[in-house]
Amino acid sequence: SFAGLLLSPFQNLLTQTVQGISDGINHYFDLVDVSKENEQLQLEVERLVNEKNDLIERISRQKRLAGLMAYQDVRKKKSLVASVIGRDATQWSKVVFIDKGTRDGVETHFAVVTNSGVIGQVIHAGHTTSKVLLTIDSRSAVDSIFQESRVSGVVVGTGEEHCIVKFVPNTADIKVGDRVLSSGLGGIFPKGLIVGTVSQVVKKKQGLFQEILLTPSSDLSRLEEVLVFLS
């Protein structure tokens, strides 16, 4: 009894120490298992997020294509859908590249549109890709007509995010919000396609023509799919 009385504190200490070590080892292995499970769950979450993003992109693309197809049916012109695969990197040139070329029937000077209206014309057709000059490029000019007043003008690119309409007489009644359509002259754009909307009108006291600023009908900085008229 005396020996037990003397040794019991040491036995208790040893038992607690061993138990603590055992608990620590078990806790460590539990943490390892939890860590592995967390890694697996993280991979699963990443997979699901990627699947969700993929589905969102597919749905978004299908909606855009549906809009182009509907427009294609309305216009009743032979055309094909192309994807934008590149952009000109210089600030002076406003050009995009599409994934269709002569192999698909695309040729130089074919009109390129979206369901919102005119975006430009093909200026170079390769075998599998083509180069499209946008209406905002300073080299672009589209013979146009105002929808309301039927006054004619020429929509010219500025190299920025808008265009100007040239050769509109000061006497013409042009208002902000007026739509501008392609006139059909020039042999590139069919008549009646929307080119843009008037955003500013300045009538000079001196000179023959007004200064008219035009906002393009399509957001040319966010093009993904386009329609090429094959004629």
Side-chain angles (χ1 to χ4, degrees), residues 151-225:
V151 174
S152 62
V154 179
V155 175
V156 178
T158 61
E160 299 179 1
E161 299 307 312
H162 56 267
C163 304
I164 56 176
V165 188
K166 289 188 172 182
F167 312 122
V168 179
N170 263 331
T171 55
D173 182 21
I174 306 299
K175 302 180 295 295
V176 172
D178 285 354
R179 277 186 172 183
V180 178
L181 311 178
S182 55
S183 67
L185 303 178
I188 296 178
F189 301 101
K191 186 176 182 179
L193 300 179
I194 301 174
V195 182
T197 304
V198 175
S199 56
Q200 184 179 348
V201 179
V202 177
K203 291 188 177 182
K204 292 184 175 180
K205 292 182 179 180
Q206 295 181 344
L208 299 175
F209 305 113
Q210 304 179 40
E211 288 185 357
I212 300 173
L213 205 63
L214 188 80
T215 299
S217 57
S218 299
D219 187 347
L220 303 181
S221 64
R222 299 172 62 183
L223 295 173
E224 294 185 69
E225 292 88 22

Side-chain angles (χ1 to χ4, degrees), residues 109-160:
H109 301 311
F110 278 4
V112 183
V113 303
T114 68
N115 50 320
S116 298
V118 173
I119 69 157
Q121 62 171 297
V122 176
I123 57 172
H124 174 75
H127 184 60
T128 58
T129 62
S130 297
K131 190 175 183 180
V132 178
L133 184 74
L134 300 179
T135 54
I136 56 176
D137 191 290
S138 57
R139 296 167 290 174
S140 172
V142 182
D143 202 291
S144 305
I145 188 170
F146 289 86
Q147 190 173 42
E148 295 295 328
S149 63
R150 313 311 290 179
V151 174
S152 62
V154 179
V155 175
V156 178
T158 61
E160 299 179 1

Side-chain angles (χ1 to χ4, degrees), residues 78-128:
K78 188 177 180 182
S79 57
L80 61 83
V81 176
S83 295
V84 175
I85 58 173
R87 293 179 179 274
D88 198 312
T90 66
Q91 62 178 354
W92 307 111
S93 178
K94 302 298 180 182
V95 169
V96 296
F97 298 89
I98 58 175
D99 64 348
K100 295 293 187 291
T102 55
R103 181 184 64 179
D104 309 288
V106 177
E107 296 180 12
T108 303
H109 301 311
F110 278 4
V112 183
V113 303
T114 68
N115 50 320
S116 298
V118 173
I119 69 157
Q121 62 171 297
V122 176
I123 57 172
H124 174 75
H127 184 60
T128 58

